[in-house]
């Protein structure tokens, strides 16, 4: 009978005894980092999410009971970190390195899979090998501070203030602070950055003054016997004041983006300056020593900072979130202002929306006929994509310029207006019940505005398409939908085709068109296009100043919408052809075009359509419209929430409030029932002036 020996799992104590007994076996290892890597692997918890603390008492007790292992481990740690440079971790890690957004994203994603490895004479190399998981800093922060202090004491580490020789810990900190400060000063003096803060034009740059003050403090620290300063030091107080002025400069620049617009490049520059100022602020306490214990605590803090910054240096999610928040705010700020005109309140506004929707339906009815004719052109997939795209784009631009309404085009705009209302409620009201109730009332207005737009589009697109195909047949004796009616009808059915999926694709394009509109408006504002047109010398000479100003106003008012509708047409017209080219079942379904296509299908079949197919076609139009609205509105609402740093958790309360309002006043979601003078609360939200 054989005995199976179960190999016991090693513990930190057995590992320490293995490498750090009297034999000093750690010196014979080919890879000197192996003991430390193995030790951290044993300490690292498997599950961190619900972990409250990481206990190192076993290791502390082992060292207290084994002086030899403790001494050898202390020597080992001091040798592997001796003269190791780490100023780049403090100055670079987890800070935006390139103002090119796409390049920075690609670099960080690549580093996730194949991390950059620095030279072996740097502390960054050691941290990369030992703390290589992004969540290492999380469990390290759950180690009790008293245990870290005890380890610091029993391992007899020196303080960071013992000397300021090159490569010493304090010297590396000072070098990093100096690097960051010089980079900030240079970047803050760039033309595009200064342009964002004209309020500082007549004053000395706070960044230059900050750099000078920090240099004087560093010089005192290097040349003094103590190598630190006291918290009541006047120069340090002045340094904090200048640092606050630098922060105010950046915040003012971000704030002024609502006046001057902002480009992604300027946004990245300001973001980098802000990150560097935050990094400096976290390093300031390392220069201050008030009592003896501060020397030990500052050394521990420095180590924790180094691990944290190194772990987060390739964080992609946080980078994208920080980089896009302000840009998305400016985009949604524009769409919020534009979206207010799509929210009806009074019956007069409600029926005006209905009339403009009839106009939109009229144009769409014509587009449906033109598309069927274009489908008969003998050309390639991409030839059809071009023809369909131009048909849609010119049609949408015509609808926009004539002041007509296309159903589902508004949700991308109205979502931002709703969030603006909620944001004002968060800031000014403070009473959650009142805030959410007002939001629900406003949402009811949005919904009924969309509903009447749906109705107007659908009831006009159907007869226009029917009349158009009849006219062509009457004049040319040619039924253009005779061979296509079955496909047109099946495409509307949610059970016989992927109509719901294709309607969702259209919803995404509706959302993207809103983003394009906002981004164009923001770009033109930042580039001062309006001012440049009004002051263009050749335009003023050729057309006169008054006409030039009118042209500039027309451009400012219409250009973003024209480009948005043009690209919406490109998206809508090319999707099916791209899907055919890729072998994917991609297409778009829009409620208004669905109505027109139903008319074409009925005439093409000579009205010989089964009751079930007719039912699913009509039912499918409603489903398509609902999906169009839900997808575009949800995406826009999510972007608006994030751009204003409002937690998505608030959606829970918003949804409950909307449901309660629907139960109490369901008709208000389809028809204006409240009187205008009784909705002052909502008026305050909807028409509030933008303070920025």
């Amino acid at each position: 009978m054989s005995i199976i020996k179960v190999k016991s799992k090693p513990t930190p104590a057995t590992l320490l005894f293995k490498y750090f007994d009297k034999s000093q076996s750690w010196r014979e290892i080919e890879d000197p980092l192996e003991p430390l890597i193995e030790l951290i692997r044993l300490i690292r918890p498997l599950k961190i999410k619900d972990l409250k603390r990481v206990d190192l008492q076993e290791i502390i007790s082992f060292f207290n009971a084994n002086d030899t292992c403790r001494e050898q481990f202390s020597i080992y740690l001091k040798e592997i970190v001796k003269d190791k440079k780490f100023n780049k971790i403090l100055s670079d890690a987890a800070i935006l390195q390139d103002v090119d957004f796409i390049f920075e994203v690609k670099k960080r994603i690549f580093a996730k899979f194949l991390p950059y490895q620095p030279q072996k004479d740097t502390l960054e190399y050691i941290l990369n090998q030992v703390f290589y998981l992004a969540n290492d800093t999380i469990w390290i922060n759950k180690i009790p501070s008293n245990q870290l202090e005890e380890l610091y004491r029993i391992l007899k580490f020196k303080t960071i203030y013992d000397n300021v020789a090159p490569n010493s810990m304090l010297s590396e900190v000072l070098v990093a602070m100096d690097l960051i400060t010089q980079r900030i000063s240079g970047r803050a003096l760039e033309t595009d950055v200064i342009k964002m803060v004209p309020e500082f034009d007549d004053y000395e740059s706070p960044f230059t003054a900050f750099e000078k003050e920090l240099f004087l403090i560093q010089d005192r620290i290097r040349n003094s016997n103590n190598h630190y300063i006291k918290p009541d030091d006047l120069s340090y107080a002045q340094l904090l004041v200048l640092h606050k002025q630098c922060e105010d400069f950046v915040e003012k620049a971000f704030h002024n983006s609502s006046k001057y617009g902002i480009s992604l490049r300027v946004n990245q520059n300001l973001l980098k300056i802000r990150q560097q100022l935050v990094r400096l602020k976290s390093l300031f306490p390392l220069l201050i020593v008030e009592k003896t214990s501060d020397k030990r605590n500052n050394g521990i803090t420095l180590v924790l900072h180094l691990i944290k910054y190194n772990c987060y240096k390739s964080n992609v999610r946080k980078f994208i979130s920080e980089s896009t928040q302000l840009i998305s705010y400016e985009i949604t700020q524009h769409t919020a202002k534009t979206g207010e005109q799509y929210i009806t309140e009074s019956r007069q506004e409600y029926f005006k929306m209905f009339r403009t929707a009839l106009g939109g339906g009229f144009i769409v009815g014509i587009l449906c006929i033109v598309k069927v004719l274009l489908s008969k052109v003998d050309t390639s997939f991409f030839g059809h994509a071009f023809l369909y795209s131009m048909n849609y784009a010119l049609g949408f631009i015509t609808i926009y310029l004539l002041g007509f309404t296309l159903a589902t085009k508004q949700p991308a705009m109205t979502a931002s207006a709703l969030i603006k209302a909620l944001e004002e409620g968060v800031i000014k009201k403070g009473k959650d019940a009142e805030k959410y109730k007002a939001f629900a009332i406003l949402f009811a207005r949005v919904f009924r505005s969309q509903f009447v737009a749906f109705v107007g589009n659908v009831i006009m697109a159907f007869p226009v398409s029917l009349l158009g195909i009849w006219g062509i047949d009457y004049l040319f004796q040619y039924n253009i939908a005779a061979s296509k009616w079955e496909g047109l009808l099946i495409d509307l059915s949610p059970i016989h085709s992927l109509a719901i999926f294709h309607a969702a694709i259209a919803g995404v394009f509706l959302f993207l068109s809103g983003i394009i509109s906002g981004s164009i408006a923001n770009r033109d504002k930042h580039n001062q296009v309006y001012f440049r047109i009004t002051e263009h010398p050749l335009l003023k000479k050729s057309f006169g100043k008054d006409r030039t100003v009118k042209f500039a106003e027309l451009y400012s008012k219409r250009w973003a919408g024209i480009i948005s509708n043009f690209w919406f047409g490109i998206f809508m017209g090319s999707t099916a052809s791209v899907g055919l080219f890729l072998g994917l079942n991609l297409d778009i379904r829009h409620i208004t075009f669905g109505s027109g296509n139903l008319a074409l299908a009925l005439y093409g079949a000579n009205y010989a359509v089964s009751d079930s197919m007719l039912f699913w076609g009509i039912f499918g139009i409603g489903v398509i419209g609902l999906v169009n609205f839900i997808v575009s509105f949800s995406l826009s609402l999510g972007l608006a929430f994030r751009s204003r740093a409002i937690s998505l958790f608030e959606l829970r309360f918003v949804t409950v409030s909307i449901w309660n309002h629907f139960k109490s006043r369901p008709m208000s979601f389809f028809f204006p029932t409240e009187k205008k003078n009784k909705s002052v609360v909502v008026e305050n939200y909807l028409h509030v002036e933008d303070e920025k």
Side-chain angles (χ1 to χ4, degrees):
M1 180 177 178
S2 60
I3 300 175
I4 300 176
K5 294 183 178 180
V6 181
K7 189 176 181 180
S8 60
K9 182 181 178 180
T11 64
T14 58
L15 182 74
L16 290 168
F17 191 80
K18 173 184 175 182
Y19 287 110
F20 302 105
D21 61 353
K22 293 182 180 180
S23 64
Q24 297 187 11
S25 57
W26 60 272
R27 295 186 181 275
E28 302 170 3
I29 302 173
E30 182 178 352
D31 182 6
L33 294 180
E34 181 181 323
L36 187 57
I37 293 173
E38 292 297 324
L39 179 61
I40 296 301
R41 188 177 299 166
L42 292 175
I43 297 173
R44 184 184 289 120
L46 295 178
K47 295 182 180 180
I48 300 176
K49 184 177 180 180
D50 300 323
L51 191 67
K52 293 185 178 179
R53 68 177 256 160
V54 176
D55 195 355
L56 299 184
Q57 191 56 49
E58 179 186 352
I59 296 176
I60 294 173
S61 300
F62 174 82
F63 282 143
N64 286 329
N66 296 271
D67 288 341
T68 302
C69 287
R70 174 181 55 77
E71 291 176 2
Q72 289 299 316
F73 185 70
S74 177
I75 295 171
Y76 165 75
L77 285 181
K78 292 171 183 175
E79 285 197 11
I80 64 173
V81 301
K82 183 180 180 182
D83 296 332
K84 294 293 191 294
K85 299 178 180 179
F86 60 82
N87 63 77
K88 285 187 177 181
I89 299 178
L90 297 177
S91 63
D92 295 357
I95 291 178
L96 176 64
Q97 295 303 304
D98 199 289
V99 295
D100 186 330
F101 176 78
I102 301 299
F103 176 79
E104 183 76 13
V105 170
K106 290 192 296 184
K107 184 176 72 173
R108 293 194 179 207
I109 292 175
F110 185 73
K112 284 283 187 181
F113 298 98
L114 192 63
Y116 165 75
Q117 296 299 338
Q119 296 300 313
K120 292 186 177 182
D121 64 343
T122 63
L123 187 63
E124 185 180 357
Y125 174 81
I126 297 175
L127 294 178
N128 280 6
Q129 299 299 312
V130 179
F131 301 103
Y132 49 83
L133 297 180
N135 58 8
D136 276 336
T137 187
I138 298 176
W139 65 264
I140 288 174
N141 285 330
K142 294 184 178 182
I143 301 174
S145 58
N146 63 310
Q147 291 187 0
L148 292 175
E149 294 169 5
E150 180 67 10
L151 278 174
Y152 189 97
R153 184 188 63 79
I154 62 178
L155 293 176
K156 298 181 179 179
F157 286 120
K158 294 181 180 179
T159 72
I160 63 175
Y161 306 99
D162 287 351
N163 67 80
V164 287
N167 294 346
S168 67
M169 297 191 75
L170 184 59
S171 177
E172 289 293 288
V173 172
L174 296 177
V175 168
M177 295 180 72
D178 194 42
L179 276 173
I180 295 172
T181 306
Q182 292 184 44
R183 291 171 182 173
I184 290 176
S185 295
R187 194 168 298 275
L189 294 176
E190 290 187 4
T191 303
D192 285 343
V193 175
I194 294 176
K195 185 175 69 174
M196 297 296 297
V197 195
E199 294 88 347
F200 282 75
D201 285 349
D202 298 328
Y203 302 96
E204 180 186 4
S205 170
F207 298 96
T208 303
F210 176 82
E211 183 180 3
K212 293 176 182 177
E213 194 66 39
L214 181 61
F215 175 80
L216 294 175
I217 291 177
Q218 287 182 333
D219 188 58
R220 283 173 49 202
I221 290 175
R222 291 181 185 277
N223 296 319
S224 67
N225 294 326
N226 295 327
H227 305 310
Y228 58 79
I229 57 178
K230 294 289 185 179
D232 57 354
D233 189 280
L234 292 179
S235 296
Y236 180 67
Q238 177 65 14
L239 186 71
L240 294 180
V241 170
L242 292 171
H243 183 272
K244 183 63 170 62
Q245 291 179 2
C246 294
E247 289 180 322
D248 292 342
F249 180 98
V250 175
E251 294 308 314
K252 189 65 177 177
F254 279 130
H255 181 80
N256 284 346
S257 62
S258 59
K259 296 180 183 177
Y260 311 120
I262 191 168
S263 67
L264 186 57
R265 183 178 182 84
V266 173
N267 180 75
Q268 298 302 88
N269 275 322
L270 291 172
L271 179 60
K272 184 169 184 176
I273 294 173
R274 176 194 276 172
Q275 290 177 339
Q276 289 170 327
L277 288 171
V278 171
R279 181 62 52 85
L280 285 172
K281 196 170 186 177
S282 69
L283 298 179
F284 285 161
L286 301 180
L287 307 179
I288 306 300
V289 174
E290 185 174 9
K291 50 185 182 293
T292 305
S293 61
D294 289 342
K295 296 182 178 181
R296 176 196 63 219
N297 295 336
N298 287 351
I300 296 172
T301 300
L302 175 59
V303 174
L304 294 177
H305 280 338
L306 290 169
I307 296 173
K308 175 185 176 181
Y309 299 150
N310 198 64
C311 285
Y312 287 155
K313 63 185 176 184
S314 298
N315 191 304
V316 179
R317 183 183 300 176
K318 184 179 179 182
F319 165 72
I320 293 177
S321 176
E322 290 180 342
S323 298
T324 58
Q325 182 170 356
L326 182 67
I327 296 295
S328 61
Y329 179 87
E330 291 309 317
I331 291 172
T332 55
Q333 188 74 358
H334 165 78
T335 55
K337 294 175 181 177
T338 307
E340 290 178 4
Q341 64 182 305
Y342 296 121
I343 304 176
T344 64
E345 180 187 3
S346 65
R347 296 192 177 197
Q348 182 181 0
E349 293 170 350
Y350 182 82
F351 286 108
K352 180 182 178 182
M353 175 70 76
F354 177 71
R355 290 191 297 273
T356 60
L358 289 176
F362 180 85
I363 301 295
V364 169
I366 297 174
L367 297 181
C368 290
I369 297 172
V370 174
K371 185 184 177 184
V372 173
L373 292 173
L374 292 176
S375 69
K376 299 181 180 300
V377 177
D378 185 16
T379 184
S380 65
F381 290 156
F382 284 96
H384 278 128
F386 174 78
L387 294 174
Y388 295 160
S389 297
M390 292 302 102
N391 176 47
Y392 282 128
L394 293 175
F396 294 152
I397 291 173
T398 302
I399 291 172
Y400 173 70
L401 292 178
L402 293 178
F404 294 153
T405 299
L406 180 66
T408 71
K409 188 71 171 66
Q410 305 95 322
M413 308 293 184
T414 53
S416 300
L418 281 167
I419 293 302
K420 182 181 176 184
L422 183 62
E423 183 185 36
E424 292 294 331
V426 171
I427 296 171
K428 295 184 177 180
K429 293 295 177 185
K431 295 181 179 179
D432 290 341
E434 182 181 359
K435 173 182 66 179
Y436 296 127
K437 183 179 179 181
F439 185 94
I441 296 172
L442 192 56
F443 179 83
R445 291 184 184 177
V446 171
F447 191 88
R448 71 175 177 236
S449 302
Q450 288 301 294
F451 173 76
V452 74
F454 286 158
V455 173
N457 278 179
V458 168
I459 66 174
M460 180 56 78
F462 185 90
V464 169
S465 295
L466 194 61
L467 183 62
I469 192 173
W470 173 82
I472 293 173
D473 192 16
Y474 179 79
L475 293 174
F476 302 101
Q477 288 74 49
Y478 178 53
N479 187 341
I480 62 174
S483 61
K484 292 181 174 292
W485 70 268
E486 189 173 5
L488 291 172
L489 198 56
I490 290 174
D491 286 344
L492 296 176
S493 173
I495 64 169
H496 297 98
S497 69
L498 296 177
I500 295 177
F501 173 63
H502 294 156
I505 294 176
V508 173
F509 292 152
L510 287 161
F511 164 72
L512 290 177
S513 67
I515 296 298
I516 291 172
S517 176
S519 62
I520 293 294
N522 173 66
R523 183 199 66 185
D524 288 349
K525 186 193 298 183
H526 179 71
N527 292 329
Q528 298 179 312
V529 174
Y530 173 82
F531 180 74
R532 289 158 75 169
I533 292 176
T534 57
E535 299 303 325
H536 195 290
L538 290 179
L539 290 178
K540 288 194 292 185
K541 182 179 179 181
S542 302
F543 303 109
K545 187 168 181 61
D546 291 341
R547 289 183 179 178
T548 302
V549 170
K550 289 181 179 179
F551 173 71
E553 290 175 348
L554 183 65
Y555 176 92
S556 179
K557 184 178 180 181
R558 295 292 189 181
W559 184 246
I562 291 173
I563 296 299
S564 168
N565 281 283
F566 174 80
W567 278 108
F568 183 47
I570 298 296
F571 295 149
M572 297 280 280
S574 59
T575 302
S577 297
V578 171
L580 288 170
F581 179 78
L582 297 175
L584 300 174
N585 190 356
L586 300 179
D587 209 339
I588 53 93
R589 296 288 177 268
H590 187 276
I591 180 173
T592 313
F593 288 90
S595 175
N597 288 339
L598 178 62
L600 298 178
L602 289 175
Y603 191 89
N606 199 23
Y607 306 104
V609 176
S610 66
D611 292 340
S612 63
M613 287 303 297
L614 181 60
F615 167 78
W616 285 115
I618 297 173
F619 180 75
I621 291 174
V623 172
I624 288 169
L626 184 62
V627 173
N628 289 158
F629 174 80
I630 289 174
V631 172
S632 62
F633 186 76
S634 298
L635 291 172
S636 301
L637 196 65
L639 179 68
F641 262 93
R642 201 188 70 77
S643 69
R644 284 154 172 78
I646 299 176
S647 173
L648 289 176
F649 183 73
E650 293 223 24
L651 280 175
R652 175 185 175 187
F653 305 108
V654 168
T655 305
V656 171
S657 182
I658 291 172
W659 175 244
N660 290 334
H661 182 63
F662 180 78
K663 288 190 297 183
S664 63
R665 305 186 68 179
M667 287 305 298
S668 67
F669 282 73
F670 303 97
F671 193 80
T673 58
E674 70 270 19
K675 294 182 180 179
K676 190 167 185 176
N677 59 3
K678 290 186 178 180
S679 55
V680 178
V681 174
V682 182
E683 280 298 303
N684 290 336
Y685 289 136
L686 185 56
H687 299 293
V688 67
E689 289 296 325
D690 186 6
E691 293 181 354
K692 293 184 178 182

